[in-house]
Structures are given as C-alpha cells and as structure tokens.
Amino acid sequence: MTLPTKEALLTNISRDILDAVKDALGPSEKMLIKRMVHADIKNKGYDPKAVVLTSSRLYILTLKRPSKVELVLPFLEIQGIDSRSSMEMVLFAGSKKYAFLSCEKASYEMDFLINHICCSLKEIFPYQPITSLVGRLTMIPADRLASLQAACAEIESGSDVGPCGGFSHMYAVLCDQHGLPYREEVAWDVDTIYMSHNTREFNLQDFDHLDPCDLTAVLAVLEYNTWFRTLSSKNQRLTQDVQNSIVKVVEKSSSLEELVLVAAGLKVDFAQKLSGALLSANSRLTALDLSNNPLEDKGLVFLASSISKLSRGISSLHMSGVSATPKGLAALTNALSSNRHLASSVACLTLSENTCRDDPIVFSSLLVQTTALSHLELVSTDCPLETLFGAMMQSCCATLSFLNLSHNTFLSRRNRESLAMFSTVKDFFASCLSLRELKLASCKLPLDIIKSIMLGIACNEKLMNVNLDLSSNEMKMKGAYLIDTILPEIKNISCLDVSDNGFDNEIAVVCTALSRCSALKQVSIGRNFNNIKPKNLMMRLLQYVVQLIQEEGSQLETLSLADSKLKLDICVIINAVGGNTSLTNIDISGNHMGDTGAKMLAKALQINTKLKVITWDNNHTSPQGFMDIATALEKNYSLQFMHTPLTDVVNAMKVNQEKTQKALHMIEAFLYRNRAPQKTSSDQLFRLHQGALLGSTQQMVDRLVSKIRGDRDMLQMMPHESIQHELEIAGHLVEDATKSKQLLSKLYHVAVSCDSNGNVIEETLQQVAEDLSRVVQNHLEGHVKNMVQCAEELCPYSVSGKVFVSHIIRMSWNVYIIFHTCITL
C-alpha cells in the first residue's frame, strides 16, 4: 500500500471551506493540520466536520459558509486516547468523549492526528511520559503504538528545553490555554535570576505582585516542569484558587519533593485536599512544612491518614503552630506506628506551639516510633520534659543532632521516681552519638537535671563542639556554684548560653568557671547584672568578665553581654576588648552606654586587630557617637560586619539626619574596605599589633611591676639578710619588665634589617605568581582557539571573519589581565 505524503495529510478540505474555517478561527491562530472527518461530539451520531489542529489545541468546525466552531479541546485536557484502527480515534476529556472516523478508506489519517497531538505535547514537555500528558493510550495493532513511542523518544533525546527545564515555553502555552496574559517579568525572573543561581526552589513570594489569577498559569507549569524540587511560600496568604492549584501540583508533579507553606492561611479543607494528592501515583513529596496555619485536629487527622499510607515515607515534617491538641497528635502517632517505612524515614520533626496539656504522654508515644530522627523541635508544647528522655533513649539517641525543648517545664518533684529520671537524663546524653545543639531555654530546670545533662555530655566521648542553651532557667546562686563545679572539666561544649539566670553577685563565680573551661568558644552571659548589691560592687564583678576574655591561652571567640543595662560600667569591658587577641565577635547591645560608651568603643576599635563582628544597638547613641565610631574605623582594618543599630539610628536621625547618614556611609565604606582583598604593609601591621599589645598586655605588666615594687620597698625595711638575695633578683626582674616595652620594637627592627637586601619569601612568591600567570595565559589562549573553532564549525555564517575572532581574543585578554593583576598585587 502506498503511504500518503505528509503534504497530503495536512489538509483534504476544499479551498472555499478552508477560507471559511480561517475566518472562524481568526488570523492569530496558526493552523497546522486541516482535515475533514466524520465526528461524533454529542453522542448523536457521526457528521462530517472540519478538524483543525494547532500546536496546542484541537478545533471542530462546521463544513458551511460561514463556518462555526463547535468544540475547542486543548491537548492538555485530553485524558485518554483510544484507537482500534488507523481509521478511528476516540478522545476522552473529563466525563465526555469525542469519536472520529476517517472519510477515506485505507487511510493513516488517525495515526497522523494522534502523532501530532502527542508529539506537540512532547515538544513542550519533553521529560514527561506521554501517558502522563494524554492519560490512557490505546492503539491497535501494537506496532502503531511502538511507532508513536519511538517518535516521542526521538523528541526527548534531541530536545533543547532551555533554562529551568523550559519553564518560559511551558508558561507561554499554559497562559494561552487558561486565557491569561503572558507576563514577561515571570519568564525573565525564572530564565535569568533562577537560572543564574541554579535554584531548584520556586518561591511564590517572588511573584506576590501578580494578581492571584495570574498565579494559576505559573503553578500549572509546575505540574509538568521537572526542574524545580521545592515549592515555597512564607507569610503570604493564598487565595482558594491558588491553594487548589498547589494541590494539583502535588498531585501531578513527578519532581516536587518539598512543599513549604508557612502562615499561608490554610485551613482544614486544604489539608483534606492535600491528603488526597499525597496518595497520587505521581507524587514524590517527602518534605512538608505547614507551620502557622490553623489546620486544627481535623486537618492533622486528614494528613496523618494519608501519611500513614506513603510507602516512600516522609523525611521532614514541620507542623508548628497548627492549633493541634493531643487528638491530632495522637493521629500522627498512629500513622508512624502503622507504617514502618515512615517511622524509619522521618529525620526532621517540628511540632512546636501545639499544646499537649490534656495528654502529657502523647509526645513520648510519638517519639518512641521515630528511629531516624536527627532534628526535633517541641517548643512551647506544655509537655512535661521528664516524659521525653526515656522515649528518645529507646529510639533516636544515636541519630539526634538538634534538640529544642525550650519553654516547657519539668514537673517531677524530688522523690524516688525523679531520682530515676535524673539517671535516665544523664544516660540519654551519655548515649547520644551526634548531638550538636541542645536548647533548653526558659524551662525552669531543676539543678539536678542541669547537673545530669552536663555530666552526661561530659562523659560522652562521641560528642564534640556541643552548643548548649540554658538561658532563663533561674539558676541563681546555686546554679552558679554548680557551673563552677562541673563546667571546667567538660571538653566537648564549645558554645554556652547562660544569660538571664539571675546570677547577679555570683557572676564572678560563673566567669571564673568559664575562664577555666578551655573548650569554650562562644559564651552568652547577658541579663545577669540586674540585682547586684551593693551597687559599688559592680566594677569589681566586671573585672571577672575582663579576666574571662584576657585569660592566657583563651579560645573564646564570641562574647554576648546583650541587654545587661550596664550603662557606663560596660566601658571596663570595652577597654579590655581593645587589646584582646582572641575575640572575633562581641554583642554589647542593650547596655545604654550613651556617647561616652561609643567614644570608648571607638578608641578600642583603633587598636583592636582581631574583632570581625560587633553588635551594639539600643545604646542611646547620638549622631556624634556614630561619627566617633566612623572616624575610628578609618584606622581599623579587621572589623568586617556591624549589625545596623536600627533603634539608635532611628533616634539619631531625628536629632541630626545629615550627620547620622554621613557617619553610617563612612562606617559602611570602611567595613567594605575591610572585607575586600587588601595589601597592608608590614610596618602598618606591626604598629597595629604593637598598639594592641601595649594596650592590654603591657597594662597588666605595669600593674604587676607596681605591685612588686611596693612589696619590695616594704620588705627592704626589714633587716632579714635571708631575703636580700631574693629582693635583688626581684629588682632585676622589674628592670627587665620595664625594658620589655621596647622588646617588640627591637625584635621587629632586627627582622627588618635581616631583609635589607630583599625579602626572600616575597621574591619567591612573586616568581611563582609570574610562572602561574604564564601558565594561565597559555591555557586561556588554547581554550579560546578551540572554542572559536567549534563556534565556526557549528555556526559558520554567524561566526566568521577576523573582526569577530579579534573581538573574542580581546575579551579573553581582558579576563587574563584581571587574573594577572589579582595574583601579582
């Protein structure tokens, strides 16, 4: 049998009818196939009709003048194709079906139509299986289906989809299908910003300026696009239509793995719809965050019923602040217990701000099921803490790395049962293998529990660099002495927050303990100075804070004294910071130190060479205070980040806006200078370090010298000859200490004199830089030559001529000049 040509299959309609069809569809619609067939579109029998196929739609029109459109069927609305021979075809769309018969015997007409529909869809959505685009596909005999599948596979293998999985092309088609305007800014954002950052998260907040109906087409793209793995929206109320579109994305997308909808105004009806979508055969969702939405118990029950049936499990579940009670949490517990895949797959679980007051053991029942949990947050759940550690001991102590139980309480009183609980708590932390962060703020923990926690961590050799938050636990005097007893021997706590614990006069004990703990790198002790009595004791207590940061061999890098309201007393600590050589980050916000404190901070910054970050808001700083800081930063080359003190800036702007703005611009300019690569002379570095040393270490030496001289003068008044030799030695040591002020300068000049004939290290590095520059130049020239040759072979008419080649070479030379300049600075 002779096969008809493609040109013959494109149309079999007479010229006059074809003109009528064109008039009915309008000039904007590009007709690709025009056929006259027998069609049954209302289940009333077959009638001759004109069938027109565009790149995305099928039209059925009357064979009259003027012609009339009787049916418009977008290809994406097709849910099934049934063709029992090459002369018949049935299309299914929703509850309706449309049957077609060829007008010509022994025709391949229906094969041509089916191929056009499927291949058109495949060109738009190349990585979607054809069955997910047109639903059930039946073609008899089987070789017809094989031929169609081969054509689709060829399109998929040779397609160049464009940025982000062809998003903009899909978006154009779906805007056309939904009758919505094509927004250029949407396509530009995705093709340019998303692509340049290689992001796989589609954030609805990037498009919150659009009308909600415009988001329909945007979300419809995600049903088919395989680029994006996450769909997110935070603090943005979503309309009902947008919520329904998101449910469709979850149901149809084969690539979406994470859904984040925080504070989106979702209610029970959304949870019910989403629960059905999760069970779709296409859904691949494994991470779900619906925090701060009023889903209530009903919503949680719906979601739990679907989650319990997921064979793939779920790795991350965030349900904080969803207004759940023990009833909803019990449903989640039952889901975990009924699905072994789920219990072993949940790695991150957040259920904060959901009360369990009426059923205190609901969380322990839940936790005992989670054997792979690494991240757990149960903040403000009214959960008795004593019910949790035993459950976690049985399930996740080997995998847990982050645990936040803040704003809960420990209810047990001291009795036999509580003594057993203390042992359980210690055993739990002694058995953890991966714990890195533990937050127990505002829990009113009994001191015995704090002791059990710290001892458990201390004896656990598997743990390293643990971050422990014990703030706001009302530890007071007994807690201070507990810390002094236990903390110095702990080697695996690197970050400790004991702020707001009412230490007051016992802050000296705490600081002494902190200074003896060599593993600590970050310490927060703010809000512990409010009730120091008598007031004149404050300066003496702050000396212990100074000792903490000046301790020889100290590893302390971060210190927070936030919200301590120390006023001008903070200047004692600021002076110590000036010459400190270990601190890189300090927070002195909320101390109300005024312009005098700002002046002292400015002086400290001029000699400090180590500090990288400083936070100092809410200190009653005036425009002059900001200007003092700005002027000081001109001489500081180490500070790189300064959190904008917004509270003080707002108040200062009311006093003198111009001066405040000038100071802030100067501060930002100097911070930018410090963050940028720079070449500082050795003389300048020496002077900076010398100033720091003389500002702190030498002050300490001077105090010791003064004390020794006083003691020696007193002893010389005594006639004992046995001590004369020791007094003579002491005198020599005092002389050496006095001369040591000149030692650093002398040593530096000795080193400089050794390099009078040239610094060997600098000369060697310069030679290496020159050699590397030549290698890069040769490498770049070779690559440019090969790339130009490739471009000429692929696009010989566009890429040719000496002008083009010389332009490319000049551009590559500019790149080389930048590199050469950087490495030879």
Side-chain angles (χ1 to χ4, degrees):
M1 181 185 298
T2 303
L3 298 177
T5 63
K6 182 177 181 180
E7 290 74 13
L9 288 171
L10 290 177
T11 184
N12 63 350
I13 301 177
S14 61
R15 172 60 61 182
D16 58 336
I17 297 297
L18 189 59
D19 290 340
V21 168
K22 288 181 180 179
D23 293 338
L25 294 180
S28 61
E29 200 67 79
K30 185 177 181 180
M31 300 184 296
L32 300 178
I33 299 177
K34 297 83 67 176
R35 300 293 300 176
M36 183 177 69
V37 298
H38 295 293
D40 178 8
I41 59 176
K42 297 180 180 178
N43 290 329
K44 294 183 179 179
Y46 288 93
D47 295 309
K49 303 288 181 182
V51 173
V52 175
L53 273 66
T54 66
S55 59
S56 60
R57 286 188 177 89
L58 179 147
Y59 293 92
I60 297 181
L61 303 94
T62 58
L63 293 170
K64 298 178 181 179
R65 292 184 61 87
S67 183
K68 179 183 176 182
V69 177
E70 293 189 342
L71 174 68
V72 180
L73 181 62
F75 293 165
L76 283 173
E77 292 184 7
I78 296 174
Q79 297 175 345
I81 299 177
D82 192 343
S83 179
R84 304 288 169 169
S85 73
S86 60
M87 297 182 63
E88 62 178 87
M89 174 180 69
V90 179
L91 302 180
F92 299 90
S95 60
K96 298 181 180 180
K97 68 175 184 177
Y98 309 103
F100 303 88
L101 289 175
S102 177
C103 293
E104 302 171 2
K105 294 183 178 181
S107 171
Y108 289 88
E109 188 171 25
M110 295 305 155
D111 284 5
F112 191 59
L113 297 182
I114 294 172
N115 275 26
H116 176 81
I117 293 172
C118 293
C119 291
S120 296
L121 288 172
K122 198 67 177 172
E123 286 176 355
I124 302 170
F125 313 105
Y127 299 127
Q128 288 289 335
I130 192 60
T131 52
S132 70
L133 297 173
V134 299
R136 179 174 53 86
L137 181 59
T138 304
M139 297 181 72
I140 299 176
D143 60 338
R144 297 173 59 214
L145 180 59
S147 176
L148 173 63
Q149 291 173 336
C152 291
E154 184 178 353
I155 293 174
E156 181 174 342
S157 62
S159 63
D160 182 12
V161 295
C164 296
F167 181 94
S168 56
H169 186 200
M170 298 179 189
Y171 175 60
V173 171
L174 289 164
C175 283
D176 179 55
Q177 177 177 324
H178 288 87
L180 295 170
Y182 178 81
R183 303 292 184 188
E184 292 284 353
E185 65 267 30
V186 173
W188 189 91
D189 285 354
V190 176
D191 289 354
T192 308
I193 300 176
Y194 278 49
M195 188 62 187
S196 63
H197 293 284
N198 196 34
T199 180
R200 299 297 180 110
E201 176 182 351
F202 193 91
N203 191 343
L204 289 179
Q205 290 169 280
D206 294 336
F207 309 97
D208 58 3
H209 60 285
L210 299 177
D211 191 274
C213 65
D214 289 327
L215 288 177
T216 304
V218 174
L219 288 168
V221 176
L222 300 184
E223 297 177 23
Y224 306 98
N225 184 278
T226 58
W227 175 266
F228 293 101
R229 299 288 183 265
T230 301
L231 173 59
S232 69
S233 174
K234 294 182 179 179
N235 303 310
Q236 176 186 1
R237 293 188 66 84
L238 304 177
T239 65
Q240 195 65 45
D241 289 340
V242 172
Q243 292 179 27
N244 293 336
S245 297
I246 290 173
V247 171
K248 288 183 181 178
V249 173
V250 174
E251 182 179 5
K252 294 186 177 181
S253 175
S254 60
S255 62
L256 191 69
E257 298 173 355
E258 183 177 10
L259 179 65
V260 179
L261 301 175
V262 177
L266 310 178
K267 297 184 179 179
V268 177
D269 59 334
F270 176 83
Q272 184 176 9
K273 295 173 184 176
L274 182 63
S275 64
L278 288 173
L279 298 177
S280 167
N282 291 325
S283 179
R284 295 293 181 270
L285 206 68
T286 58
L288 182 62
D289 186 351
L290 300 179
S291 298
N292 301 328
N293 291 290
L295 302 179
E296 302 178 344
D297 287 336
K298 288 184 179 179
L300 209 55
V301 168
F302 281 125
L303 291 171
S305 65
S306 295
I307 289 173
S308 65
K309 301 172 185 175
L310 294 178
S311 59
R312 62 183 179 276
I314 192 163
S315 62
S316 179
L317 186 63
H318 298 270
M319 292 288 174
S320 295
V322 297
S323 303
T325 69
K327 180 181 178 182
L329 297 171
L332 193 58
T333 301
N334 294 333
L336 289 169
S337 60
S338 63
N339 187 337
R340 61 184 180 86
H341 297 291
L342 189 61
S344 61
S345 66
V346 178
C348 185
L349 182 63
T350 303
L351 297 172
S352 300
E353 300 176 13
N354 294 300
T355 182
C356 71
R357 187 180 296 112
D358 298 331
D359 186 1
I361 66 169
V362 65
F363 281 122
S364 59
S365 302
L366 174 65
L367 293 176
V368 78
Q369 309 287 339
T370 54
T371 58
L373 202 60
S374 63
H375 183 110
L376 175 64
E377 293 189 56
L378 299 177
V379 180
S380 300
T381 56
D382 297 319
C383 175
L385 296 180
E386 62 267 28
T387 64
L388 301 179
F389 294 106
M392 292 189 291
M393 184 75 176
Q394 300 177 48
S395 57
C396 57
C397 68
T399 57
L400 195 65
S401 62
F402 181 95
L403 178 61
N404 190 351
L405 302 176
S406 299
H407 297 277
N408 293 297
T409 55
F410 195 97
L411 298 181
S412 294
R413 297 181 179 179
R414 191 174 182 87
N415 51 37
R416 287 186 177 180
E417 184 179 343
S418 64
L419 291 175
M421 176 51 61
F422 300 155
S423 177
T424 301
V425 171
K426 178 182 177 182
D427 291 343
F428 170 74
F429 288 105
S431 303
C432 288
L433 302 180
S434 308
L435 190 65
R436 290 293 176 268
E437 193 159 353
L438 174 62
K439 294 182 177 294
L440 293 167
S442 301
C443 291
K444 297 183 180 179
L445 295 174
L447 293 181
D448 287 323
I449 285 293
I450 296 177
K451 179 179 179 180
S452 299
I453 293 169
M454 298 181 76
L455 289 176
I457 295 174
C459 68
N460 190 333
E461 297 180 355
K462 301 291 184 181
L463 299 184
M464 294 294 291
N465 298 322
V466 176
N467 182 338
L468 178 59
D469 183 356
L470 295 174
S471 60
S472 306
N473 271 292
E474 301 179 10
M475 298 169 68
K476 300 186 178 178
M477 181 179 70
K478 291 183 178 180
Y481 285 101
L482 174 65
I483 291 176
D484 184 51
T485 304
I486 299 176
L487 185 62
E489 303 302 321
I490 300 179
K491 305 300 181 185
N492 48 9
I493 294 180
S494 62
C495 179
L496 180 64
D497 187 347
V498 288
S499 57
D500 191 25
N501 269 296
F503 292 133
D504 299 322
N505 289 23
E506 278 66 44
I507 192 67
V509 177
V510 175
C511 288
T512 302
L514 294 174
S515 64
R516 288 159 52 206
C517 183
S518 59
L520 280 177
K521 293 183 178 180
Q522 301 178 41
V523 169
S524 298
I525 54 174
R527 293 179 290 169
N528 280 305
F529 304 86
N530 296 332
N531 296 307
I532 293 178
K533 297 177 182 179
K535 290 295 184 182
N536 57 12
L537 187 62
M538 177 70 80
M539 294 301 293
R540 194 166 72 183
L541 293 176
L542 290 179
Q543 287 297 331
Y544 287 92
V545 182
V546 172
Q547 179 184 341
L548 169 64
I549 63 179
Q550 287 189 338
E551 186 73 19
E552 186 176 355
S554 172
Q555 301 295 315
L556 195 63
E557 298 175 355
T558 301
L559 174 67
S560 174
L561 292 163
D563 300 317
S564 295
K565 300 180 182 178
L566 293 173
K567 298 184 179 179
L568 291 182
D569 292 335
I570 190 73
C571 294
V572 176
I573 298 170
I574 291 175
N575 289 338
V577 169
N580 182 268
T581 57
S582 66
L583 283 180
T584 60
N585 187 333
I586 188 169
D587 184 350
I588 53 173
S589 57
N591 276 288
H592 306 172
M593 63 185 184
D595 284 350
T596 302
K599 174 70 74 173
M600 299 305 296
L601 178 60
K603 291 182 178 180
L605 290 176
Q606 291 183 56
I607 61 172
N608 183 278
T609 60
K610 190 69 174 180
L611 208 59
K612 296 288 189 295
V613 183
I614 185 170
T615 306
W616 64 299
D617 196 7
N618 197 16
N619 273 302
H620 301 170
T621 308
S622 74
Q624 182 57 46
F626 284 113
M627 186 58 70
D628 289 339
I629 296 295
T631 305
L633 284 178
E634 184 177 4
K635 302 174 183 177
N636 179 293
Y637 291 86
S638 62
L639 193 70
Q640 297 181 358
F641 299 97
M642 180 183 291
H643 299 286
T644 304
L646 291 177
T647 303
D648 288 341
V649 166
V650 170
N651 294 328
M653 293 284 277
K654 295 176 183 178
V655 177
N656 190 328
Q657 180 176 345
E658 182 179 352
K659 189 172 185 179
T660 304
Q661 286 181 334
K662 181 180 179 181
L664 292 176
H665 290 158
M666 290 173 63
I667 289 172
E668 186 55 41
F670 291 132
L671 293 176
Y672 177 78
R673 176 203 64 189
N674 293 352
R675 291 193 294 267
Q678 56 184 302
K679 185 176 182 180
T680 308
S681 69
S682 58
D683 284 341
Q684 185 181 32
L685 287 175
F686 166 70
R687 287 194 299 272
L688 286 171
H689 286 289
Q690 183 185 37
L693 288 170
L694 293 179
S696 60
T697 308
Q698 196 62 54
Q699 290 177 10
M700 182 177 63
V701 171
D702 288 343
R703 287 196 296 269
L704 291 173
V705 166
S706 177
K707 185 177 183 302
I708 292 172
R709 279 176 174 169
D711 293 342
R712 189 187 64 172
D713 291 342
M714 290 179 61
L715 291 171
Q716 281 179 340
M717 297 172 63
M718 302 174 67
H720 298 286
E721 296 183 1
S722 59
I723 64 172
Q724 293 305 313
H725 180 65
E726 285 77 4
L727 290 176
E728 186 178 349
I729 294 175
H732 293 319
L733 292 174
V734 166
E735 290 178 8
D736 286 353
T738 304
K739 293 178 181 178
S740 67
K741 292 181 180 181
Q742 306 172 24
L743 180 60
L744 185 62
S745 178
K746 295 290 185 181
L747 293 175
Y748 172 72
H749 288 299
V750 168
V752 170
S753 63
C754 292
D755 292 334
S756 57
N757 296 325
N759 190 315
V760 177
I761 296 177
E762 287 188 2
E763 292 175 357
T764 304
L765 288 175
Q766 185 66 33
Q767 183 61 46
V768 171
E770 294 292 345
D771 293 343
L772 180 60
S773 179
R774 283 192 293 272
V775 171
V776 170
Q777 180 182 1
N778 296 334
H779 183 75
L780 192 60
E781 289 176 352
H783 274 301
V784 169
K785 181 179 179 181
N786 293 334
M787 287 189 287
V788 168
Q789 183 179 352
C790 176
E792 288 178 338
E793 292 174 356
L794 189 64
C795 308
Y797 300 103
S798 302
V799 184
S800 60
K802 295 182 178 179
V803 176
F804 174 81
V805 174
S806 62
H807 176 68
I808 296 296
I809 293 175
R810 187 166 60 253
M811 290 176 63
S812 66
W813 180 253
N814 291 337
V815 173
Y816 166 73
I817 290 297
I818 294 173
F819 172 80
H820 178 78
T821 304
C822 289
I823 67 170
T824 57
L825 276 175

